[in-house]
Amino acid sequence: MNQTFTIREKTKQIVVLLIPILITQLGMFSMVFFNTIMSGKYHSSDLAGVAIGSSVWSPIFMGISGILLAVSPIAAQRFGEKRNNEVSTVVKHGMYLSFLIAIVVIILGAFLLDPILDKMKLPEDVQETAFDYLVGLSFGIVPLFIFNVLRSFIYALGKTRVIMVIMLASLPLNFFLNYAFIFGHFGFPELGGSGAGYATSITYWAIMGMTIFIVKTQDPFSSYPVFSNKKEFSWEECKEILKIGVPMGLSTFFETSMFAVVTILLSKFNVTTIAAYQSALNIVSFLYMIPISISTALTVLVGFEVGSRRYKDAKQYSWLGVYLAIFIALFTGLLVVVFRYQVAGLYSNETAVINLTANFLIFALFFQISDAIQATAQAALRGYKDVNLAFIMTLIAYWLICLPVGFVLAHYTTLEARGYWIGLTVGLLAAGIALSLRLIYIQKKKFVTIEG
């Protein structure tokens, strides 16, 4: 990353960081896509099992990733302050934490996975596939979490293309392993949907291996001794990461789990409604990768400028990211609304499902804009390492506004399932407004512009 002096230079810097991050997000999305589609080609019960397994794992993974991604703003600020030795220390302790957290998750999974799946009252073959898929996936938790820390480190230095290349290189391997393990080709055992879990785990080991190799051998990463003095350990360093990371992780977890709860509540409606909601949510989730990619870049850039004590530049980056996310959300949202029937037709051949999905997508336009505001405002606050109040704001917005408003509108008005979309939009907009006000406050009171 370099110091920038004009809005044009800042826009270019955001885009340079953003595009590789977006491609990386698409790559990670593709892995889940391969798992689901190829399991479905094997058998419908395997598709259901992998889908259930993914829904159990996703909130946990997203929440813990949020904790580990705290390495990014901390390292970016140290980098901006030119305290390179401390960058290495942060990354090193991030890896220690990732290993410890991974072990805790595996142990808890061993005791809790069966009871959780039993509560769902699934068909026996679906439950067996979900269990075996998650067991297979568990072998990749350690490398996945370590990779997330190293990814945060690489992002903090502004070298986002490196992770993009690693992710793109891993996709053919993941596809091959899915094909081999699910269908039992090339001498591999035929495991069905559960094979997708083992294929993904092996891919995570490969991704971690490639990342470690690059960090150890390539500039500028090799100048940071993140793998030296392995016996050096400090709980104080871990506490700093957890102090920033736990609110980030919980915020992400509560947002992800909120959508899971809405999905469960919608199960009381008919099959057409459930199918239409899932189709519309899948489209929105896909488009959400754009603001989340902007957010990742924004956290790094704001953190870098704050570390360099260029508060004016940090402020400009903050609002530039918010405006860029709103513009893109508006553009993509309008495209989806204009072509909503064609988009809905990609997910179903049934007229009723297509019409209801298209109806949901009109609400999704406003949902996307609200989500873009809250995601980028929160990302900017993370760059300032201001996360505790932001976590409380999002918790209130997600669980005390989104869900209650959606539930009332869905069950006590004629809106039915559309009420949940309105509830989600209102809650996310409330989060966006509150986070934006907090951002304005800290920029005026805590990070007062210093003219150089």
Side-chain angles (χ1 to χ4, degrees):
M1 289 182 293
N2 301 307
Q3 182 179 1
T4 53
F5 300 94
T6 65
I7 294 297
R8 184 176 180 179
E9 287 178 354
K10 284 179 172 59
T11 304
K12 183 180 178 182
Q13 180 102 295
I14 290 177
V15 172
V16 167
L17 293 183
L18 161 66
I19 292 175
I21 293 172
L22 178 58
I23 294 172
T24 300
Q25 293 287 348
L26 290 169
M28 296 182 84
F29 180 86
S30 298
M31 282 185 156
V32 178
F33 180 78
F34 289 158
N35 289 348
T36 307
I37 295 297
M38 295 178 79
S39 296
K41 294 293 183 183
Y42 185 81
H43 196 275
S44 59
S45 65
D46 289 79
L47 169 62
V50 170
I52 293 294
S54 297
S55 68
V56 171
W57 170 240
S58 182
I60 298 167
F61 166 65
M62 294 297 288
I64 293 171
S65 292
I67 296 174
L68 299 176
L69 289 174
V71 169
S72 196
I74 297 170
Q77 284 201 14
R78 298 287 193 277
F79 181 53
E81 293 163 350
K82 296 182 169 52
R83 293 154 65 183
N84 291 355
N85 287 338
E86 294 185 25
V87 172
S88 303
T89 302
V90 169
V91 177
K92 198 179 302 179
H93 284 83
M95 286 191 285
Y96 287 141
L97 268 180
S98 69
F99 181 80
L100 293 172
I101 292 171
I103 297 302
V104 170
V105 170
I106 292 168
I107 292 171
L108 289 175
F111 288 100
L112 299 177
L113 183 54
D114 262 332
I116 289 171
L117 293 175
D118 286 340
K119 290 281 186 184
M120 295 184 179
K121 308 292 184 186
L122 301 166
E124 186 178 344
D125 53 349
V126 173
Q127 179 168 335
E128 185 180 343
T129 299
F131 180 86
D132 291 342
Y133 170 76
L134 288 170
V135 168
L137 206 59
S138 69
F139 288 99
I141 291 176
V142 170
L144 175 61
F145 287 178
I146 292 174
F147 163 72
N148 269 334
V149 172
L150 295 175
R151 177 172 65 137
S152 297
F153 164 56
I154 291 170
Y155 281 173
L157 301 188
K159 306 295 182 181
T160 55
R161 280 181 291 183
V162 172
I163 298 298
M164 176 191 74
V165 171
I166 291 171
M167 186 56 62
L168 291 177
S170 70
L171 289 180
L173 174 65
N174 182 247
F175 183 85
F176 169 78
L177 290 172
N178 266 306
Y179 183 69
F181 277 109
I182 292 172
F183 299 100
H185 293 302
F186 311 111
F188 288 88
E190 184 179 341
L191 300 176
S194 61
Y198 292 96
T200 303
S201 286
I202 295 171
T203 307
Y204 288 153
W205 281 100
I207 288 171
M208 184 192 73
M210 286 187 281
T211 309
I212 289 174
F213 175 78
I214 288 172
V215 169
K216 292 184 77 169
T217 61
Q218 303 296 312
D219 287 330
F221 319 113
S222 58
S223 62
Y224 295 84
V226 297
F227 297 108
S228 65
N229 299 325
K230 295 183 180 63
K231 293 182 181 179
E232 177 193 339
F233 182 82
S234 166
W235 273 114
E236 290 305 313
E237 292 290 341
C238 291
K239 283 179 185 176
E240 182 182 10
I241 296 171
L242 291 173
K243 185 178 177 182
I244 305 296
V246 169
M248 287 172 57
L250 287 174
S251 180
T252 305
F253 173 78
F254 285 127
E255 181 179 7
T256 310
S257 56
M258 174 191 68
F259 284 99
V261 169
V262 170
T263 301
I264 292 168
L265 290 171
L266 274 165
S267 65
K268 300 188 184 300
F269 291 90
N270 59 42
V271 174
T272 299
T273 301
I274 296 168
Y277 171 77
Q278 288 294 344
S279 299
L281 184 62
N282 188 265
I283 295 162
V284 169
S285 299
F286 180 76
L287 292 174
Y288 180 61
M289 283 188 274
I290 300 174
I292 205 67
S293 299
I294 295 173
S295 298
T296 304
L298 201 56
T299 297
V300 171
L301 289 166
V302 172
F304 175 69
E305 298 296 347
V306 170
S308 302
R309 299 182 67 82
R310 293 190 291 265
Y311 300 146
K312 180 181 178 181
D313 294 281
K315 181 179 179 180
Q316 288 177 337
Y317 271 125
S318 300
W319 296 108
L320 191 59
V322 173
Y323 298 148
L324 181 62
I326 292 172
F327 174 77
I328 293 175
L330 181 61
F331 177 74
T332 56
L334 286 172
L335 277 179
V336 167
V337 168
V338 171
F339 297 102
R340 60 189 181 278
Y341 289 100
Q342 291 86 341
V343 172
L346 297 173
Y347 287 83
S348 178
N349 295 321
E350 299 176 30
T351 303
V353 174
I354 291 172
N355 288 338
L356 189 53
T357 303
N359 189 273
F360 285 160
L361 289 174
I362 296 174
F363 293 93
L365 166 63
F366 304 100
F367 170 90
Q368 278 182 251
I369 294 169
S370 300
D371 212 7
I373 297 169
Q374 71 90 22
T376 46
Q378 190 172 18
L381 287 168
R382 288 171 178 175
Y384 287 102
K385 296 201 296 188
D386 187 89
V387 293
N388 292 321
L389 191 56
F391 159 64
I392 294 169
M393 288 174 173
T394 52
L395 178 61
I396 292 170
Y398 299 153
W399 286 87
L400 299 183
I401 298 178
C402 280
L403 285 177
V405 170
F407 185 84
V408 169
L409 292 176
H411 295 274
Y412 296 97
T413 72
T414 57
L415 289 168
E416 296 187 323
R418 290 169 294 182
Y420 280 112
W421 282 109
I422 296 173
L424 290 168
T425 302
V426 169
L428 290 171
L429 182 59
I433 292 170
L435 292 166
S436 297
L437 291 173
R438 175 63 180 173
L439 187 57
I440 291 168
Y441 173 80
I442 66 165
Q443 286 171 344
K444 284 186 175 181
K445 301 293 184 181
K446 293 189 174 184
F447 297 89
V448 181
T449 301
I450 297 174
E451 301 296 342

